[in-house]
């Protein structure tokens, strides 16, 4: 069974926490240690960012991490090589998150094969057109047992949400706001109305809420209104500050206890 399916089938109502970081930052060889630290630290799922020179959906923190990673020499081939070395040490799902250009350059078939070879369970490609997903990526990913996770935002139509729900599996990534990534102190009533609206659609796929989660208030709002929360910018900034995965995780847990 795909590890993403296993995670959601076995959670039994427990609220999940997924963390994002950019491969190759703060150092080129820090990726595997970060993953192993999060794996033993009780995190439920890890999104590993593929650095790209034009990360249009990301805020300044993740943009800077991507710039650092590229300067450090991180490539998709190097990332897969790193992940292979810890494949048998990681029990939780790994999801690669990156833009379409590097994946197309690598080759879709080769990318999916490398995902399987390195223990990756799925992928998130923010700029992947849905029609291209249906025609090109979906058949290949499914043949390799991989999940392609789609994003929805407050601006996504109900029709589009139901289309995504019908043609994907694993989970749906609910972007909290139609903006770039970055921390916020709380979610507005408009955000909460959006969460409630999607919940009332009774979709078959579980949802994870991301973008803007950095404290107890936003974490509780996300976990109340979905299967769990995804945290990126806050953890990435702590990694940059501390240069130590365990210290960054400890500080994040402290921050998530505070308003």
């Amino acid at each position: 069974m795909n590890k993403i399916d296993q995670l959601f089938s076995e959670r039994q109502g427990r609220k999940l926490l997924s963390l994002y970081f950019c491969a190759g930052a703060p150092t080129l060889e820090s990726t595997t240690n970060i993953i192993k630290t999060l794996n033993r630290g009780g995190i439920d799922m890890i999104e590993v960012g593929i650095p790209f020179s034009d990360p249009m959906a990301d805020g300044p923190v993740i943009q800077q991490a991507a710039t650092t990673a590229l300067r450090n020499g991180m490539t998709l081939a190097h990332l897969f090589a790193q992940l292979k070395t810890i494949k048998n040490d990681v029990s939780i799902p790994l999801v690669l998150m990156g833009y379409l250009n590097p994946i197309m350059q690598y080759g879709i078939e080769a990318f999916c094969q490398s995902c399987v070879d390195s223990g990756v369970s799925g992928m998130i490609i923010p700029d992947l057109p849905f029609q291209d997903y249906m025609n090109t990526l979906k058949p290949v990913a499914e043949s390799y047992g991989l999940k392609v996770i789609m994003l929805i935002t407050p601006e996504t139509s109900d029709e589009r949400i139901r289309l995504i729900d019908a043609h994907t599996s694993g989970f749906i990534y609910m972007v909290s706001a139609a903006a770039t990534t970055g921390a916020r102190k709380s979610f507005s009533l408009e955000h909460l109305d959006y969460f409630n609206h999607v919940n009332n659609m009774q979709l078959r796929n579980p949802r994870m809420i991301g973008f803007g989660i950095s404290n107890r208030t936003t974490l509780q709002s996300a976990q109340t209104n979905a299967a769990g929360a995804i945290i990126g910018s806050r953890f990435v900034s702590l990694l940059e500050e501390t240069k130590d995965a365990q210290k960054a995780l400890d500080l994040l847990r402290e921050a998530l206890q505070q308003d």
Side-chain angles (χ1 to χ4, degrees):
M1 177 185 290
N2 184 286
K3 287 183 180 179
I4 296 173
D5 286 337
Q6 186 175 357
L7 174 65
F8 285 96
S9 66
E10 295 179 355
R11 71 184 184 94
Q12 297 179 335
R14 181 174 62 87
K15 296 301 183 179
L16 304 177
L17 180 60
S18 178
L19 296 189
Y20 166 95
F21 76 98
C22 183
T27 69
L28 179 62
E29 302 303 330
S30 62
T31 302
T32 55
N33 179 61
I34 294 169
I35 292 172
K36 290 192 290 185
T37 299
L38 299 183
N39 182 73
R40 65 174 178 261
I43 299 305
D44 297 295
M45 182 164 54
I46 303 172
E47 293 178 16
V48 183
I50 302 168
F52 183 52
S53 57
D54 187 23
M56 61 185 179
D58 296 314
V61 170
I62 294 178
Q63 285 185 18
Q64 183 56 52
T67 298
T68 298
L70 291 172
R71 287 175 178 168
N72 288 341
M74 178 53 75
T75 65
L76 196 46
H78 190 72
L79 172 58
F80 281 129
Q82 289 180 327
L83 295 179
K84 282 183 182 179
T85 68
I86 59 169
K87 178 180 179 179
N88 296 327
D89 302 322
V90 180
S91 59
I92 62 177
L94 297 181
V95 178
L96 293 187
M97 185 168 188
Y99 293 89
L100 186 58
N101 185 280
I103 295 171
M104 291 295 290
Q105 290 187 8
Y106 194 89
I108 289 177
E109 184 97 26
F111 178 80
C112 291
Q113 181 66 66
S114 292
C115 283
V116 172
D117 292 343
S118 57
V120 172
S121 297
M123 65 199 77
I124 302 171
I125 309 173
D127 60 339
L128 173 66
F130 189 77
Q131 201 59 47
D132 288 352
Y133 158 71
M134 290 292 293
N135 294 336
T136 305
L137 181 56
K138 184 175 188 275
V140 181
E142 287 183 345
S143 72
Y144 283 91
L146 298 167
K147 304 295 183 182
V148 182
I149 309 304
M150 289 285 181
L151 290 81
I152 63 172
T153 77
E155 295 181 350
T156 307
S157 68
D158 287 3
E159 179 183 10
R160 174 82 165 197
I161 292 173
R162 292 199 183 279
L163 195 64
I164 289 171
D165 189 49
H167 293 283
T168 65
S169 60
F171 68 96
I172 292 174
Y173 190 133
M174 284 182 65
V175 176
S176 64
T180 58
T181 56
R184 66 176 72 247
K185 291 185 177 180
S186 64
F187 291 123
S188 67
L189 289 177
E190 186 177 1
H191 291 124
L192 298 179
D193 286 343
Y194 157 59
F195 299 157
N196 288 331
H197 176 74
V198 174
N199 285 335
N200 289 334
M201 293 179 70
Q202 299 183 328
L203 304 177
R204 66 184 184 89
N205 279 305
R207 276 83 58 209
M208 297 283 286
I209 294 176
F211 283 46
I213 299 167
S214 62
N215 59 12
R216 180 170 59 185
T217 299
T218 48
L219 176 66
Q220 288 180 345
S221 291
Q223 292 186 328
T224 297
N225 290 281
I230 300 168
I231 298 176
S233 294
R234 184 61 172 149
F235 181 61
V236 170
S237 64
L238 290 170
L239 274 176
E240 176 58 30
E241 290 170 18
T242 63
K243 305 295 192 293
D244 184 291
Q246 187 60 57
K247 288 180 181 178
L249 181 58
D250 291 342
L251 289 171
L252 177 65
R253 291 195 186 280
E254 289 180 18
L256 295 177
Q257 298 299 317
Q258 302 170 3
D259 290 327

